[in-house]
Each structure stands twice: as C-alpha cells, then as structure tokens.
Amino acid sequence: MKVFLSTDMEGTAGVVAWEQCVGDGPQAEAGRRLLLAEVNAAIEGAVAGGATDVVVNDSHSTMRNLPADRLAGGASYVSGAHKPLYMMQGLDDSFGACLFVSYHGSVGAAAGLSHTYNPNAVIEARLDGRVTGEAGINALVAAHYGVPVVLVTGDRCACDETAALIPGVHSAVVKEHVSRVAAHSLHPELACELIKLQARAAVQTAADAPPPRFDPGVLELSVRTTDIAEAASWVRGVDRTGPRELRIHGDTHLGTYRSFCAAILLTRTVAEIR
Ligand SMILES: [Zn+2]
C-alpha cells in the first residue's frame, strides 16, 4: 500500500517557539532534528502496518526541513516551494492512506503556535460551517482522491480538531497546550514510540477506513484586512461575501483547495502590510 505523509512542524514535541521552527539558527536546527525523528517514527509505524511505499511531503515554511538521506523506510521526499498542491503535493488516487504529522491547532484556538496557513491573513477558516485548521482544509484533497486520512500527530488541539472532522482518525497527542508559546511535551523518545504505534494501527486498518466526506465542502475564510479579501477575490472560485469574508466552493473538492492555495499565495504580500 502506498502511504502519503504530509508533515508540518509546529506540532513536534519540544517545539514551542517560532525560533525552533523557522530560519536557520541553532534552535531551528535542533527543532528539525526532533521533527525528523517524529517523521521517521511515523514512517516506521506505517511500514510495520503494511506500507510498501511512503511519500513524505514537507509542508512547513521553506518546505525543505528534512535531510532526504536520513528518511526511514526508503521514503521518497517532496520538498521545496511553489508546489501547486502545497501541503498535499504528491497525493493522488493511487494511495491507500494519508498521514498528517506534527500538525498544530487552528488560528484562534488555544494551541501552541496556532495558525491556519498564513497567520497574517487568515483569522478563521470554516469548512461547511465548522471551524477548521490545516488538517481539515488539506483533507479536501484526500476526499477528492478518495484516500482515507488515518493518522494525525501533534498537539492536543490539532488531534481534536481533526477527529471532529474525520471520525475514527488515529491520533498521537505529543504535547499539551500551556500558552501559544508554551507546552508540556512528552519526552521525544516517548512521543516517537506513540507515533510509531498509532501509525502502525492506522495503516493496518486503512483499507476499512472511509475517505473524508464533505458535503458540500464549502470553505469560508475570515481574513484580517479588507485589502486581503479584495486581493483574494481575484482568484477564480473565491467569492467575497463581506468586507473581510470569503467563500470558496470549486467544482470539486480539489478545485476548492486549489483556489484556496492561490488565494493564500496571492495575498502574501498584501497580508504583510500592518
Ligand atoms: Zn502549519
């Protein structure tokens, strides 16, 4: 079975501050080591559960946070910027399971380093009326290709938010929220053990897991400024429904996700203006 693994970074045990997950400083280097161990734990669990082929899509910041030669299980690696399907690049209908590793809580949630894609732009995202984070938005792509999302790892909030949208998803909670920049993390070795166990169970039962279902799969965004909303509305499939409100509903779930990614990319410069 082919397994797709999308990895973020803010949900890693021991990572609580931006310095640990952005840039090239010594703290970021240490953060990337912790992330690599968690990604490898998920790969090893997936392989133990029956994965024959693992594709890792690096979805965080520069999207090249991992040393390709140190990925476990002979996993292939999708890395680098300007990927059309962003956090879901590489997924298609040939996969049997999708894993989300080191995910974090949505913007507005009581969760460490909480945000939803761009913290300067998005102040809330809702999928069919329910507040969602990145896992829910990314699950649109899994739904399109009919691939079950079977595992989420990260902080408690990321796991709870994902389970609310995808009942039955396996989860590995590796840290508890204290504040947006503080957490109580499991020891990294124990976090990795938990991730490995859950990944194994998740992949073992993936054949019986349904893909995510969204009906109708409308994505609504509240954004920080009217300028962001204006620029986002230039994207096909994005309707402006209020001064700072957007509604995205493509012909397919994939179309919705593509319009969302285009809006995020297009509004980056505008969103930086304070
Ligand atoms: Zn993220």
Side-chain angles (χ1 to χ4, degrees), residues 8 10 59-60 87 104 115 117 134:
D8 208 342
E10 292 91 344
S59 308
H60 174 75
M87 296 184 81
H104 52 82
H115 66 281
Y117 277 79
E134 293 171 2

Side-chain angles (χ1 to χ4, degrees), residues 163-220:
L165 276 162
I166 304 168
V169 67
H170 286 73
S171 62
V173 177
V174 300
K175 60 184 170 184
E176 300 287 347
H177 161 262
V178 176
S179 76
R180 284 195 73 243
V181 286
H184 183 174
S185 298
L186 293 181
H187 187 284
E189 281 174 18
L190 295 182
C192 288
E193 267 178 40
L194 177 66
I195 290 168
K196 194 172 170 179
L197 272 175
Q198 291 297 310
R200 179 184 173 165
V203 171
Q204 261 172 350
T205 53
D208 299 322
R213 277 197 196 92
F214 301 112
D215 189 16
V218 172
L219 182 59
E220 292 170 296

Side-chain angles (χ1 to χ4, degrees), residues 32 53 58 66 68 81 117 177 199 204 208 212 227 240 256 262 274:
R32 288 196 294 269
D53 200 343
D58 190 326
L66 301 168
Y117 277 79
H177 161 262
Q204 261 172 350
D208 299 322
D227 286 0
R240 191 170 178 187
T256 300
R274 282 280 150 193

Side-chain angles (χ1 to χ4, degrees), residues 21-163:
C21 54
V22 177
D24 283 314
Q27 292 198 55
E29 196 186 319
R32 288 196 294 269
R33 264 202 315 276
L34 294 173
L35 174 65
L36 173 67
E38 292 197 2
V39 168
N40 279 343
I43 295 171
E44 285 164 7
V47 169
T52 51
D53 200 343
V54 180
V55 175
V56 174
N57 177 26
D58 190 326
S59 308
H60 174 75
S61 188
T62 60
M63 300 188 266
R64 38 187 170 76
N65 300 286
L66 301 168
D69 60 347
R70 292 188 51 208
L71 288 175
S76 59
Y77 186 39
V78 182
S79 58
H82 307 312
K83 295 180 284 195
L85 291 188
Y86 212 135
M87 296 184 81
M88 298 301 279
Q89 184 67 39
L91 185 68
D92 60 33
D93 60 10
S94 67
F95 287 82
C98 177
L99 319 179
F100 293 154
V101 172
S102 191
Y103 272 42
H104 52 82
S106 66
V107 59
L113 303 175
S114 57
H115 66 281
T116 302
Y117 277 79
N118 184 353
N120 291 330
V122 179
I123 56 172
E124 188 172 271
R126 295 171 302 279
L127 193 49
D128 292 335
R130 295 167 79 171
V131 172
T132 186
E134 293 171 2
I137 295 170
N138 297 346
L140 283 166
V141 182
H144 174 82
Y145 287 120
V147 180
V149 175
V150 294
L151 176 74
V152 57
T153 85
D155 63 10
R156 165 126 1 235
C157 180
C159 293
D160 286 352
E161 286 182 334
T162 306

